[in-house]
Amino acid sequence: MNTEWRWLKRFAAQFQLCGLQSNELCVILSESSSRPEIVSTALLAAQSLDAEVFQIVMPTPPNTGPVPLRSTGTTLALQGNPAALAALQRADFVVDCTVEGLLHARELRDILGAGSRVLMISNEHPEVFERLPHDVNMAKRVGLGHEMIQQAATMRVSSAAGTDLTVHLDGSFTAGSTGVTDGPGSIAHWPGGLVLAFPARGTVNGTIVLAPGDLNLTFKTYVRTPIRLTVVDDFVTDISGDGFDSEQLASYMAAFNDRDAYASSHLGWGMNPSARWDYLDLYDKSQMNGTEARAFEGNFMYSTGANENADRFTPCHFDLPMRSCTVELDGVTVVEEGRLQAPLAPAAAAAELAGGAQ
């Protein structure tokens, strides 16, 4: 058991926020490649709350190539196993410690449809969770951001670097994650702080320009030279640039020989003021999964690959958080050059909370 008392306390506190009770059936789901300290900490934290706890450990399936897989966008470990799926559907609370998480898994709809609530714990060094405490202010802002994206018809994203992307949101599946589950049949990823949409087919068009300092979370590195992605009816049709980064990205994606590898997966913006974009170099690549980078406040994240809302599944997945972008919903600016705007900005939400308490 590789854990620390300070991690146990933090995990137990998060489980309590998710409503874990002593009479509930709690499953710790992991795979053979899961981070041991995450699994052991989750197990002991759930036991400390007197939940009825048991484990499901699936073998991580082999990588049959053609390239290393470091970001599939979803765990492939369940493999439709009927016994494991039945147990997950019977659980009140599933702590998902698989390497990539259940978010885009083919089995997720059946698990949530049975009423189980799922907390995905990102495959990070546990120190990350110490640095990102639950923030009531952020939870309120994420809820408001989710309402705004639900009600909007169009999202437009632009940047000085050259990004100009339009997303028609009709038919999108939208979500806002605070790191806390919201009743039966809900899923949250921890750390949280992200508002996003899984667009319907044929709704994403324009240009994405990744600038130096933006993040590539499959390669777990910063972009060093600009990358231009041309997006036509959801699909990246051209990858260009003047440096090594565009060549590397194009080469890796082409290796899958899979059209869906180029499809738009999900996109949205980060809202977690405690999350940082500048931390990647402080951890070994094996120590992080980049969820903090997905959630840092004011980023716009464009993702390629699996999108269950468009009925597309592929093991090639890229999450690309970008700095200094402007995001508009039906012409209303919610992020301006990487800074959240009122009413989503932390100061605005804090003032509203203070006013409501008076």
Side-chain angles (χ1 to χ4, degrees):
M1 289 293 188
N2 302 308
T3 189
E4 299 273 356
W5 174 242
R6 64 185 192 274
W7 302 341
L8 279 172
K9 289 196 297 182
R10 183 67 191 92
F11 277 47
Q14 198 71 18
F15 295 172
Q16 286 180 309
L17 288 168
C18 292
L20 183 58
Q21 304 290 322
S22 61
N23 62 344
E24 288 193 304
L25 186 63
C26 174
V27 177
I28 311 297
L29 173 65
S30 64
E31 60 184 288
S32 53
S33 295
S34 292
R35 191 180 301 280
E37 57 268 37
I38 293 288
V39 179
S40 59
T41 302
L43 175 66
L44 292 175
Q47 288 178 319
S48 75
L49 299 175
D50 294 326
E52 298 181 36
V53 185
F54 71 97
Q55 290 183 271
I56 297 174
V57 184
M58 301 299 297
T60 300
N63 178 8
T64 57
V67 293
L69 292 177
R70 294 296 180 267
S71 180
T72 61
T74 185
T75 180
L76 304 175
L78 280 177
Q79 299 285 296
N81 184 289
L85 186 57
L88 293 168
Q89 290 174 303
R90 288 290 302 274
D92 298 297
F93 186 54
V94 177
V95 182
D96 177 13
C97 301
T98 58
V99 175
E100 290 287 338
L102 287 168
L103 188 58
H104 301 293
R106 294 177 183 268
E107 300 87 354
L108 180 61
R109 289 179 183 175
D110 291 335
I111 295 169
L112 298 181
S116 302
R117 61 192 195 277
V118 178
L119 177 65
M120 291 171 44
I121 300 183
S122 187
N123 190 47
E124 313 284 357
H125 191 290
E127 181 195 66
V128 170
F129 304 99
E130 296 177 342
R131 295 191 291 104
L132 300 173
H134 181 65
D135 183 340
V136 175
N137 182 304
M138 183 194 73
K140 177 181 176 64
R141 293 186 293 112
V142 167
L144 180 57
H146 185 211
E147 289 178 10
M148 294 173 71
I149 200 172
Q150 274 185 312
Q151 295 168 6
T154 303
M155 176 191 294
R156 181 167 182 257
V157 185
S158 58
S159 74
T163 292
D164 190 356
L165 190 76
T166 299
V167 185
H168 295 290
L169 294 169
D170 291 344
S172 292
F173 173 80
T174 59
S177 181
T178 64
V180 176
T181 56
D182 186 24
S186 65
I187 184 169
H189 62 74
W190 184 40
L194 184 63
V195 174
L196 51 81
F198 296 80
R201 286 178 175 268
T203 58
V204 185
N205 287 276
T207 303
I208 292 283
V209 178
L210 300 169
D214 292 340
L215 298 95
N216 180 331
L217 295 182
T218 296
F219 296 160
K220 296 182 174 62
T221 190
Y222 295 101
V223 173
R224 292 147 293 186
T225 56
I227 306 172
R228 178 178 293 267
L229 308 177
T230 301
V231 183
V232 179
D233 292 337
D234 299 348
F235 288 88
V236 175
T237 60
D238 184 69
I239 302 172
S240 61
D242 296 329
F244 162 79
D245 286 1
S246 60
E247 292 182 37
Q248 183 186 33
L249 178 63
S251 175
Y252 184 87
M253 294 181 78
F256 287 86
N257 194 29
D258 181 357
R259 184 169 185 262
D260 284 349
Y262 296 90
S264 297
S265 175
H266 54 81
L267 38 85
W269 65 87
M271 298 191 66
N272 194 326
S274 298
R276 302 190 61 88
W277 67 272
D278 57 0
Y279 75 103
L280 290 191
D281 289 337
L282 304 179
Y283 293 95
D284 293 337
K285 289 187 177 184
S286 63
Q287 292 181 315
M288 63 180 175
N289 197 41
T291 303
E292 178 176 0
R294 293 165 172 88
F296 76 85
E297 190 172 86
N299 87 79
F300 170 71
M301 186 172 71
Y302 176 71
S303 302
T304 61
N307 176 355
E308 59 268 36
N309 190 53
D311 200 29
R312 291 190 290 250
F313 297 90
T314 174
C316 181
H317 181 71
F318 279 85
D319 282 339
L320 304 167
M322 302 161 62
R323 303 183 301 143
S324 303
C325 289
T326 294
V327 181
E328 300 170 81
L329 297 177
D330 293 342
V332 176
T333 301
V334 294
V335 180
E336 184 172 10
E337 297 181 353
R339 297 184 300 276
L340 286 171
Q341 303 298 293
L344 300 184
E352 186 175 341
L353 280 174
Q358 293 175 357

